[in-house]
Amino acid sequence: MKLATWNVNSIKVRQPAVVAWLKETIPDVVCLQELKCTEDAFPAVSFEELGYNCAVHGQKTYNGVAILSRRPIEDATPRLPGDDGDDHARYLEAIIPSRQGTVRVASIYAPNGNPVESDKFPYKLKFLDRLKSHAQQLLKLEEPTALLGDYNIIPGPDDVWNPELWENDALYRPESRSAFRAIQYLGYTDAFRACHAQTHQYTFWDYQGGSWQKDHGIRIDHILLSPQAADHLTASGIDKNVRAGEKPSDHVPVWCEIDI
DNA sequence: ATGCCGGGCGAAGCCCGA
């Protein structure tokens, strides 16, 4: 089963690119982030024509997450527990039947958190703490679980072209990196890092300043696997070529293959 | 180091992202 995540930065603008990528790579499950639209405006038909079911947790202008699946989508559940006052559409979880049993997947759009002096940074850290608590609850189920998405965290100095320039950025602050490690310490595996030792493999390049041409990127889109999923991990990759296409998102897809 | 880029909204210019 091939699982993927992609922050599309507006599904309305990116719909042709997503369709082309789906046709080329044929993932079984895709988690999308930054739809920037409500569920009504989500272009589900163009994905259904390719054989995908869609579950959408939308929001006008900001955020918005979705799950596409070639298999049925069961129990699609929006929102991360732990703060009923949080109305951002940043989390959608669902159960997907596999050949043997099921896989639980989540599409996650963690807050950016900049500037760090603003209330956006504590909001980010609180969201990540809620994600950790929920991830801990999910471990008790002892199921194959994949938490896919834009975590907005650079895990370490090898995941950015020039870490010195990011020291006071919310994506690289010690508090953010610590929060990402804390989820892994619960028992989750970074799928890409488990498959690749190469450093400086990026998932995001800023539109500005020729970042893509200079390969000045960051690795912030991640797939975390529960032990029952990680035990069957066979491959992972970053579809970097997508960044060179027509009207690209600033993020590219990250995927993993689990033999379940 | 930032908003030079790109998108939303809405019809100019501001908000937001990373």
Side-chain angles (χ1 to χ4, degrees), chain A residues 120-138:
Chain A
K120 292 182 178 182
F121 191 50
Y123 170 65
K124 173 181 187 147
L125 296 179
K126 190 176 178 202
F127 180 95
L128 293 170
D129 194 53
R130 288 163 60 199
L131 181 60
K132 178 191 168 190
S133 297
H134 188 57
Q136 189 162 30
Q137 292 301 313
L138 294 179

Side-chain angles (χ1 to χ4, degrees), chain A residues 1-3 28-29 71 94-105 142-148 223-235 256-260:
Chain A
M1 185 174 249
K2 185 175 186 179
L3 312 177
D28 294 292
V29 181
R71 292 170 180 268
I95 295 170
I96 312 291
S98 68
R99 274 188 285 112
Q100 43 218 350
T102 61
V103 181
R104 185 180 298 265
V105 300
E142 300 189 349
E143 295 173 345
T145 297
L147 307 177
L148 306 94
I223 302 175
L224 294 184
L225 301 177
S226 73
Q228 293 79 7
D231 279 348
H232 302 283
L233 173 66
T234 59
C256 75
E257 184 82 40
I258 305 170
D259 186 19
I260 48 178

Side-chain angles (χ1 to χ4, degrees), chain A residues 107-165:
Chain A
S107 182
I108 302 162
Y109 178 44
N112 173 306
N114 280 309
V116 291
E117 303 80 17
S118 73
D119 54 6
K120 292 182 178 182
F121 191 50
Y123 170 65
K124 173 181 187 147
L125 296 179
K126 190 176 178 202
F127 180 95
L128 293 170
D129 194 53
R130 288 163 60 199
L131 181 60
K132 178 191 168 190
S133 297
H134 188 57
Q136 189 162 30
Q137 292 301 313
L138 294 179
L139 280 185
K140 294 179 183 172
L141 303 173
E142 300 189 349
E143 295 173 345
T145 297
L147 307 177
L148 306 94
D150 175 3
Y151 283 74
N152 267 317
I153 298 171
I154 301 165
D158 292 337
D159 299 307
V160 50
W161 69 278
N162 191 345
E164 291 76 23
L165 291 181

Side-chain angles (χ1 to χ4, degrees), chain A residues 37-49:
Chain A
C37 73
T38 57
E39 184 172 354
D40 307 352
F42 185 80
V45 173
S46 58
F47 306 128
E48 288 163 359
E49 285 173 350

